[in-house]
Amino acid sequence: MNVVYHPAEHEDTTPWRGALPARAWQQSDARSLSLNAPYRFRLSPTAAVEDGDAFASPDFNDGKWDTIPVPSHWVLHGYGAPAYQNINYPFPVDPPFVPTENPTGDYRFEFDLPKEWELNNGKTVLRFDGVESWYKVWLNGKLLGFSTGSRLPTEFDVTSALGEKNVLAVRVHQWSAATYVEDQDQWWMPGIFRDVTLIHRPAKSVEDHFVHASYDHTTGKGTLKVDSNPAGRVIVPALNIDQETGTEVTVAVEPWTAENPHLYTGVLVTDGERVPLQIGFRTVKVDNGVITVNGKRILFRGVNRHEFHPDMGRALDHATMLQDVLIMKQNNMNAVRTSHYPPHPHFLDLCDEYGLWVIDEVDLETHGFEIDGWKGNPSAAPQYTEALLNRADRMVERDKNHPSIIIWSLGNEAGTGNNLLLMSKQIKKRDSSRLIHYEGDRSCEGTDMYSRMYASHLEVEEIGKGIEPPLDDPELDAKRRKMPFIQCEYAHAMGNGPGGLLEYQQLFEKYPRCQGGFVWEFIDHGFEKTTPEGKKYWAYGGDFGEEIHDGNFISDGLLFPNRDPSPGMLEYKKVIEPVKMTGDASKGTLSIYNGYDFSDLKHLSLWWKLEHNGEFVAEGGIDAATLPEIAPGKTGEIKLPVIAVDGKGEFWWTFSARLADKAPWGEAGHEVAWTQFPAIALPAPVSAPASVKPVKDGKTVTVGPATFNAVDGQLVQLGGIKVDGAKLDIWRAITDNDRGISFDTKRSMADEWYAAGFDRVHHRIDSVAIEGDAFVVATRAAPAIRNRGLRTVYRWTAPDAGSVKLSLSVEPEGDWGNLLLPRLGVRFGLPKDLANVEWFGCGPNEAYADTRTAAKVGKYAYTIDAMQTPYVFPQENGSRIDVRWAEITGSGPGLRVEGEPLFALTARRWTTEQLDKAKHTTDLVAGDNVWLNVDLKLNGIGTGSCGEEVLVHDELFPAKHDFSFVLRPLA
Ligand code: GAL
C-alpha cells in the first residue's frame, strides 16, 4: 500500500473553489434563514478522517455524535484547547505544509426549508461569514466547494442541491496552507465561528451594489451614485432622490463624520429585491501631506480591536459588538483599526451608525517568517499571490459600502513583497475613494501614508518635523517625507500602563503631519479558569498546556477580559479628551479649547465644583446655551464663578464638560472632559518642629506615640498599633512594562533590577542614637555582590505627643552606572484588620508619574481590597499619587499619615515579594499584615512591554533624596 499524505487538499494555497464572487454585505427583503444552531459534531485528530467523506452523505448516522453550537470555536466547547502564540507558528515553517496532527471538525446539520421559500425563483446561496481555517462543504451529499480566509465570507450557490429536507455537512481543518497567512497575535481558535445563513436570491435581485457618496466641503453638497447589477432605482426620501442606479446626483447634504455620523436611509430597488441603504457622504483625501475628511485634517484617537470575548472567543454576539462601540465612544475614542482582519460585518454597521473612523484590515499576517529572515514569506511568494489578492478582494467587496471605513489596510506584519503591491493596486483600482495603509513596508510603496508601530516619542517628533532618517531610495524617501503619519499601534496597554500617553498626544496635537494613533489594544484576551479550590482567574498563554507559547503577552488591553476598564482606559480617555479646559484662578477665567475636528460644543454643558481640602463648598452648572460659541480648533473663555476663598488649606476648582442631552452613545451628564486647578495658590507646607523628646527606657526608645527597639532602631509600635518591618523600600513587583526590552535603549528594567539585587536588599545598621530631639538610626541598604548601596538615615522626631515624624535621607554610594530605582519609600507592616483607607490627594484610581493625567485631587475612601487593580498577570499596582494625608482604619486603632507635603500610597494584603512571585490573581493570598508603602516616588511606567521605556523626566534616579512624613495613631 502506498499512502501519500502531502500535499493534501488543504495544503494547496488556492483560496477557494466553488464559491461565488465576493459581493457587498447587505440585508434585504429577500428571504433568509439563519442556520446558526446546535450542529452535530465530531473531532478527529488528523485531516485524514477514518471514514473519509462518508459523513457528508445524508444517510450517514451521526446519532453517536455530540452537538456543538454554531457559531463557536470547538476549543471552547471541550474539544482541545485554545493555544496562544504571538509571532511563532505552532508548527515547523514549511509552507504550504502543515502537521499531520491537524484537528479536524466534522459538522452536520439537518434543516427544513421554510414552505414559503421560492425554490423556482432565482437561486439560493449558502453563506459562511467566518470559518477557521480551511473548510469543505456539502449539501445533501453534493460537494459545493471549499474555502479559506477565516474572517471573510464565502457564498456557495446551493440552488441545485437544496430540497425541502436538507443535510448540511462541513469539514473544518484547523491547520492549512492558509494558516501561514493568518499568524496574528491571538489565540488559535478553529471552527465555524461566525454566522451561517441561507439566502434567497430572487430573479433580478441585486448581485452586487456599490454606493459612492462623496462630499464637497466647498459647496456643502454631496454626490451620490449607486452602482448596481442588475440596474434599478435608488430612492433617498430625505434628499428627494429617486433615480436610476449608475447615475450621479449632487444635492445639499449633511456630511458623515465620526463626530456627526449623519446617515441617509435609502433603498435600492430592482425588479427582484429591495436593499436598504445607509448612506454617509464624505470625502477622504491626502491633501498637502495631511489626511483630510471633508476638507479638514482629522486626528485619530484610536484603538486596535481584536474580536474577543472570554466565553465566546471570536464568536461575538451583536450585544458585545455594540458594547465595544459604546465603550469606545464613551471613552473619547474616534477611530478603530480592525486588527488584524475584517471584523464581523455588524460591527461596521455600528461604526457607521455611532461614528468611528475605521481602518479595515485584510486578514493577513505572516510574522512567523521573520525569524528566518522572511525566507519563503507568502507576501512575496508567487504561490500565495492568488490567495492574498482573494483576501483583499473579499474584504473590499464585502465592506465597500461603509462610510465609516476611510482606510483599507493590506494586513499586519507580513513583511514586504510583490503580493502586497499587487493587493494595493487591485484595491486602488476597485476603490479609489479610500486611502491605503500598510505598516510593514517602511518604504511605503503602495500606501498613502507613513505608518509605524511603537515609534518612540523622539521618533514621532522627528517625523513631525520631517527630519526622520532617510530611506535608501531617494525617490521613495522624498515621497514618504510628504506623507501623513500615523501610529497604527502605540502605547502597549499590557498590565500597569501604558505610560507616556500624554506626551504622545501632545506630539499628535503639535505636528499637523502626525495624525494620531491607535493604542494597542482594546481588550485583554483572557479566558476564565478555576483553581481546584474553586477560585476564578484569567488564563493566558501556557495555561492550556501549549508546547510553545507567549505567556501573558495576550493580555495587553485597555479593558480587562470582562470588559471592565483598566486604569489605562481611564487615562487614555482623559488624555484624548476632545475639549481642553485650562483654568486660571488669578485671572478668574476658564479657557475652553475645542479639539473636535468638526463639531461645535453645543452638545456639552459645563458643571463645576469647588472643594476645600476635599470637602464640598459649592457647585453649579453652566448651561450649553449660555456657553460661548467655540468652533473646532478655537478657544473661548468664560468667567469663573465668584466665591470667596481664604488661604487656609487647599481650594480646588473642578470643571466638567458633559453631554447636555442623551446622545446615541451616552447618557445626558456623561463626562467628556474635565479640568482641575487650585482656586488660590497652594499653601506652603509647614513642617512642625519637634516638641517632645525621645525617651530611652531599657530596651525601648519612645518618640511621641512611637516605640522603637533600642538596639536595632526598628519601629515596633505606633500608639496601639503593632508595626512590622518598617524600612526603606526600593523594590516593586515587576510590571509587564518593566520586564519588556525597550525598543530604543534595549534595556529591560526587570533584568537590570534583578541583576542589581533590588529584590534582596539587606539593611545594615550602622548606628542607633538619640541626638537631641531626634532618635536617629543610620543604616546602609544594599544588595549582595556590588559596592553600591544607599546610606539611609531615619530621623524620628515628635511634633507633639500624638505624632511622630520620620525624616528620611537617602544617599547613594558606590557604582550605580545608569541604574534607576523601582521606588523609594518606606514600607510598614500593620495589623490586618486595618482594612479601610481614606485619603486626600489624587485618585480615585492608581496613578504613577507617567500615568497620572486622569487622577483628580479629592477625598476618597476605599477598602484595601478595592484599591488593588486586578491585572491578569499580578504586578505593581494601586499606588495613589500626590497624597496629602491618608487614614487607615479598622476595628481597632487606626493610623494617619501626613505628607510633607505629598507622598504616594500603596496598601495591600501581601508583600511586594509575594506580588512579584504571583502568576495569577489567585496566587495572591491575604497574610497577617496589611502592607503600607509611603513613597517619595516610584519610577514611571513607560510602555516597554512593546515600545519605549519611561521618559527621562519620569525616571527615578538614585540621587540624594530627602523625604519626610508624619505618622499619627488614631484612637
Ligand atoms: C505588534 C502586532 C500586534 C501585537 C503587538 C504586541 O507588533 O502588530 O499584533 O502583537 O505587536 O502586543
Side-chain angles (χ1 to χ4, degrees), residues 86 185 306 340 365 367 412-413 453-454 489 492 520 553 556 946:
N86 167 13
D185 175 4
H306 265 292
H340 299 303
E365 175 159 341
H367 205 174
N412 184 60
E413 297 185 319
M453 46 174 79
Y454 310 106
E489 291 177 32
H492 198 244
W520 186 266
F553 207 65
D556 53 3
C946 188

Side-chain angles (χ1 to χ4, degrees), residues 468 505 590 730:
E468 68 272 21
Q505 193 62 22
L590 177 82
I730 60 165

Side-chain angles (χ1 to χ4, degrees), residues 132-150:
E132 183 167 331
S133 74
W134 192 103
Y135 61 110
K136 197 169 182 180
V137 186
W138 296 259
L139 187 66
N140 300 325
K142 181 174 181 205
L143 177 64
L144 302 173
F146 71 82
S147 188
T148 60
S150 297

